[in-house]
Amino acid sequence: MAEKTSGKGWVGVDFKRKEDHRLTTGKGAFFGDISEPGMLYLVFVRAERAHAIIKNIDTSKAKALPGVVTVVTGADIKDEIRSMPQKVVVPALPARYPTHWPLAMEKVKFHGEAVAAVVARDKYTAEDAAELVEVTYEKDLPFVANAAMALAPGAPKVHDEWEDNQIFANVFTGGDTVEGQEENARKVDKIIKGAHAVIKETFRVHRCGMTPMEPRGALAKWDESDGLVAYVTTQRPHIDRLALADILDIPTEKVRVIAPRDQGGGFGVKAPFYREPILVCHLARQLGRPVKWQETRNEHLMVVSHERDQTHTVELAADKDGKFLALRTDGTCDCGDGCEGVYWGYLMSWLGGILFTNSYDLPNCDIRLRVAVTNKSALSPARSFGSYPTRFAIERAVDMMARKLGLDAGDVRRKNIIAELPHTTCTGAYYDSGDYLKVWDTLNEHLNVPKFRAEQKKALAEGRYIGIGFGTGVECSGMASEILVPMENQPGYGAASVRLDPRGKALVSFGDAAQGQGHETTISQVAAHEFGIHPDDIIVREGDTETTPFGSGTIGARTGSYIMSGVSTACRVLKDKMALIMAHDLALDAKPEDFEFVDGEIIYGKDSNIRKTFGEMAERIIMAPVNLPEGVEGGLEHTAFFEAPTRMMCFSIHAAFVEVTPETGQFKINRFVTCEDLGTLINPQIVEGQVQGGVVQGLSNAMFEQVVYDENGQCLTADFENYKLATAADMPNVEVTHSTTKCPHTPLGQRGLGEGIPGPVPGALSNAVCDALSPFGIEITELPLRPNMVWRLLQEAKQKQAAD
Amino acid sequence: MKTTVNITINGESYEETIPNRMLLVDFIREVAVQTGTHVGCTYEGVCGACTIQLDGEAVKSCLMLAVQADGHEIKTVEGLATNGELTPLQTAFNEHHALQCGYCTPGILMNMDEFLKKNPNPTEDEIRHGLVGNLCRCTGYAHIVDAVKDAAGK
Amino acid sequence: MYPATIEDYVRPATVVEALAALGRYEAGDALMLAGGQSAMQAVKTRLLRPRCIIDLQAVAELQGVSAGGDGVRIGPMTRYAALATEGSFNGAYQALNDAAARIGDRQVRNRGTIGGSLCWNYVAACLPPVALALGMEMELTGPNGSRTMSADDFIGGPLETAREDDEILVSLNLPAPAANSGSAYKKWGLVTDSLPVIGVAAMLSTDGSGACTSARVAIGGLGDGPRRSAAAESGLQGVSAGDGDGIAAALQAASDETETQSDMWADADYRKQLIRSLGAEVVASAFARAAN
């Protein structure tokens, strides 16, 4: 199976994944597979009401059940654990940060909030005991159901100590002063009032999220001398470690967090610092026995994996040729109770506001957002991180503007897509590199839109309705410290340690955690490419805070952009050292760049007869560090901290082709094509998989998934019968194409991707349906996009046509 | 409350006295300690990650009590390869990058292994329809379909 | 997530043994388990807390499909997968193939049974409206003997049937079909093969000229349980396959007559549209099968 590259290297190679053998033979090491001797099981008792004052929690029957070790309530732990917020997981943004513990105190604030925890010797017994915990409520409080209700004057308060329900608000344009913002608002208002055409619409995107196939979990054990070891399904082990140390008052050297080697998906859901692991760790310490909590899907759907739920009123102004002049938008976000470390429910919509203008050249904008707390669980990050609703809004607005002006939506897009990079948007977002118009042209050439238009005309004559729609997406390629420090009080650098052994094999380690992205493979490829050795000669380890350098986590496509760059940089440092020593050994007047590392050898460029194997040089430097150049010591190990000189973004465009049956509003996605500018592709097949997966999540979110609360705040979608995910039979094949410009700021010219993929999807899909139904003139302004809604819009359009 | 059962898993016989209410997936994961079969939903039995073969038929082990499997033969993902040699399906999954996090993968392999025995030459639509009982969040399904198509007839 | 404690698990080999086991418990304390694809969901949520599980997997009398001159006999333990590919239904009873082939997913179809589906009678289930449309008969055996009844009498409101707690469904019977008969079933739900929002089953018989002489049309997915549509059935009298307007009128009448509900899956109006659209498809299909 050992592939030789004949000197071409390992970048751009579809190297088959190393992870697959264990994962296809049942030897994966997931959280649920981990156990510790004497392990106890923890089950949460969760509130059955949305907003109510707790009267009493009777745990006596539960405690009396044989096999139950302890039952705790909020009152029990209030003085034992520090409350949140803790500085290390609070952004440096002016928001309110609700005080909270792992269990409810005094009142419950959402259906599913944990009110008690049972610890028992087996998990069936723990569930029996949880049923026996009796929670009585003094009274029900009004259900704060959505952002509008929460922000209305005199609204019932979710957090009693706050003066109202606004957790965060921001004006993204006009600078940092109120004067500047007001002046900007006046300027934008003037432009809108004087514009040839204005679209004004309210766009609403529902509550839905990522639901990885593996829910969350935490398993903690405590030892008096070694301290705390916690296995947590987390994307951010190093951050969790700091937060646990602070909350539980344990010195950091005695806290070790380990993200399991295999995790069943994350997509942002496993990035926050949550309540549950805090209690699991606390009880493990208190009881002196390992405690394991394994989240059920039921808990998961009630408590996490909610995102989007944003409403944006948008005014877009353009001249008669379709050039955009200004944009004004007022948005609200329903972020649930906001009680969640790192993100606090609101951070996603904040970034969504910053990137609101997406790929369009719109220097004159007035962009505002208010985020409200409600009686629901806090929003947790999801792929696209606040941009899914805003992209839906702006991409629909673009199409609506085109229709208003009688212009082709594609032409209007091309006219307004940012023509020159780098570009700074009206919110100060810096887009570093790329050629967006080239992506547009490449995709359009591939699709042959004129041919489709001819087919569309012919189909219409036959009574069939087909359509095409586009959506664009500028997404973060990693998160520079420049953004991450203010945003999350966390560094953005990509830190990677590379250690060679005396046989020339490499160990690469970094402090993030994988959830299926194929890090072990792609990182091996990067190191192999640099060293000129085989990816099988490299092992990659992450996730354990004890054995890895600091990492802020697998978030925002950091691995592809920052970690890979850190690996590359560290490899180059070691290569230079090896070359230097080889030159010294052979008395060559040579510099590191005179040597080539290829196919397991180090070859002198000026005379290819002068060559050593990679392994023998490694052995010489590590095992026999004598006669070295002056000032050089033995050993081959280096940790690099990569920080790009600027923030980095990547760009993609999606196109959807649909056929709609007006009689029922049902539609079929015949084709879905993306065009990506990811710079250098390390493993094209893995990239394709990421895009296909992200697009299907975006489609599934748009069409099938929805978190629904009834009028009493009961969550109605806490299982997969009711929260429906797309199956293979519901989804199209996603075609992935590329239009590549190298990233100028990374060693290999690569960009990271993954984070933003679902973003362009709802715009592309909705635009396609509207395009197909353009003879009827319907406009889709809210999600989910379902046949029932399409049918209703058509009925309304028909009635209107009949009336006119 | 308890029953003594004899369940064969991947050719190995397990005689155990277990609670009547123990789910088959728990017997597999915890009594037989074969953790390749996964649990991805609660009571609804929709996600399919727990799919195994019972007497050669793909079924969801979370929707069965272990006692129902008394006297029956079960095959899990650990039992697919023989003497370390992967099946064409497992190999195809690697070649076509048909898994990312791998959590849903064992259930898909057990389902598709049986599916291909009954449908040795399936169309893409038939494969997609056959996969309805296995939810995947990472791959978007396309590579899985490619892998199954490739393994068909091998 | 996990069932409540189950005291007893029995696996009878005969109907007599099963009845004996049932008889040892008070009404509702024993649960007969067929395929378990619905019942086990309820057991795991603890909605049902049976003291005893009576597993019917080994009762040979409940298995098998046999077709003869006097009709078709279907064992209640027949799995959906077997029903889906059962060839003896021909055009008259092909709605059974239609429905069974698309219930849930293939893992569910390997395990779930027609008897279990009919006794559970979930509002959105596929087989209850099919049973109504085909004029299926149910045979029940209890401590006091056996009785037979039509699907019209057997199928009740949501999760209700005429079966007493101490009875076992032992046979599902279909009479020999009239000549020139055809049936079909179609459903629509948000995702492929999920429990549908609306499902429509229709069985038609035609005369030599292709005009409909009798029709049975049943709708599933309604809040009050599956029901036949008298308006559709009378509206289709005398209508032929090519009479699009006549078919549409019959189904309009059906949707007008049928009370539909609004919930998070669909509006009441949209459910009516689905009755019309799905109804048109199954009627067309039933006509085509009747003609073969």
Side-chain angles (χ1 to χ4, degrees), chain A residues 128 131 664 721 730 788, chain C residues 41 46 49 192 267 270 277:
Chain A
D128 293 341
E131 266 197 317
T664 56
E721 289 280 18
D730 299 303
N788 193 151
Chain C
Q41 290 178 326
R46 304 194 176 194
R49 294 167 189 258
T192 303
D267 298 335
Y270 190 67
S277 304

Side-chain angles (χ1 to χ4, degrees), chain B residues 1 20-21 26 42-44 51 54 58 60 62-63 67-68 70 72 111 114 129-130 132-134, chain C residues 1-3 5-7 9 11 33 37 40-41 44-46 55 57 102 104-107 110 193:
Chain B
M1 316 291 187
N20 294 327
R21 66 170 170 167
D26 280 340
T42 317
Y43 42 76
E44 59 265 48
T51 303
L54 176 75
K60 296 175 186 177
C62 80
L63 285 180
V67 288
Q68 291 181 270
D70 182 17
H72 291 275
N111 182 17
E114 190 235 311
H129 192 230
V132 163
N134 293 94
Chain C
M1 180 79 167
Y2 304 117
T5 299
I6 299 171
E7 292 168 33
Y9 168 80
R11 194 190 292 185
L33 197 56
Q37 302 302 286
M40 278 303 295
Q41 290 178 326
K44 287 168 72 178
T45 58
R46 304 194 176 194
D55 185 332
Q57 63 172 278
R102 305 200 75 106
D105 54 61
R106 64 185 307 278
Q107 293 98 309
N110 276 340
D193 293 352

Side-chain angles (χ1 to χ4, degrees), chain C:
Chain C
M1 180 79 167
Y2 304 117
T5 299
I6 299 171
E7 292 168 33
D8 261 315
Y9 168 80
V10 297
R11 194 190 292 185
T14 64
V15 169
V16 165
E17 278 178 33
L19 283 172
L22 256 184
R24 289 197 287 273
Y25 288 88
E26 308 229 348
D29 276 354
L31 173 71
M32 283 188 289
L33 197 56
Q37 302 302 286
S38 299
M40 278 303 295
Q41 290 178 326
V43 170
K44 287 168 72 178
T45 58
R46 304 194 176 194
L47 199 70
L48 295 180
R49 294 167 189 258
R51 291 178 58 209
C52 174
I53 296 266
I54 302 172
D55 185 332
L56 300 175
Q57 63 172 278
V59 181
E61 299 147 84
L62 299 177
Q63 292 165 15
V65 178
S66 58
D70 54 349
V72 181
R73 187 231 163 231
I74 302 170
M77 284 297 288
T78 305
R79 313 273 181 193
Y80 301 139
L83 218 56
T85 54
E86 178 56 48
S88 64
F89 296 148
N90 296 314
Y93 298 137
Q94 212 164 330
L96 277 168
N97 301 115
D98 293 344
R102 305 200 75 106
I103 293 178
D105 54 61
R106 64 185 307 278
Q107 293 98 309
V108 166
R109 292 192 285 275
N110 276 340
R111 214 53 215 154
T113 66
I114 180 169
S117 173
L118 292 172
C119 289
W120 189 249
N121 193 27
Y122 184 65
V123 284
C126 302
L127 288 170
V130 169
L132 287 171
L134 301 187
M136 190 175 279
E137 290 201 332
M138 286 74 177
E139 187 183 333
L140 300 155
T141 299
N144 303 319
S146 292
R147 58 187 182 130
T148 304
M149 66 179 73
S150 68
D152 295 312
D153 292 331
F154 180 82
I155 302 282
L159 299 177
E160 283 170 10
T161 66
R163 184 186 69 87
E164 299 291 349
D165 280 321
D166 59 2
E167 286 181 306
I168 296 180
L169 178 67
V170 295
S171 182
L172 299 162
N173 304 318
L174 292 166
N180 303 322
S181 293
S183 71
Y185 171 81
K186 273 210 99 163
K187 65 180 180 181
W188 184 84
L190 200 55
V191 298
T192 303
D193 293 352
S194 59
L195 282 163
V197 168
I198 290 283
V200 181
M203 177 167 166
L204 309 169
S205 301
T206 61
D207 63 20
S209 73
C212 174
T213 52
S214 86
R216 292 173 69 99
V217 179
I219 302 166
L222 305 171
D224 291 336
R227 61 204 303 279
R228 286 170 57 189
S229 168
E233 292 176 2
S234 60
L236 286 168
Q237 295 291 329
V239 170
S240 297
D243 183 1
D245 289 344
I247 295 173
L251 292 164
Q252 180 67 51
S255 70
D256 289 341
E257 163 198 67
T258 306
E259 203 179 299
T260 55
Q261 75 279 20
S262 288
D263 60 20
M264 65 181 181
W265 303 117
D267 298 335
D269 279 348
Y270 190 67
R271 282 186 153 89
K272 286 180 185 279
Q273 177 61 51
L274 288 172
I275 290 171
R276 293 190 290 272
S277 304
L278 293 168
E281 286 184 67
V282 296
V283 164
S285 191
F287 267 122
R289 289 166 179 176
N292 281 346

Side-chain angles (χ1 to χ4, degrees), chain A residues 439-459:
Chain A
V439 178
W440 174 262
D441 292 337
T442 304
L443 178 61
N444 271 267
E445 210 177 289
H446 176 77
L447 298 177
N448 195 346
V449 179
K451 180 160 169 270
F452 176 78
R453 290 292 180 206
E455 285 167 15
Q456 185 181 44
K457 209 164 163 188
K458 185 160 169 286

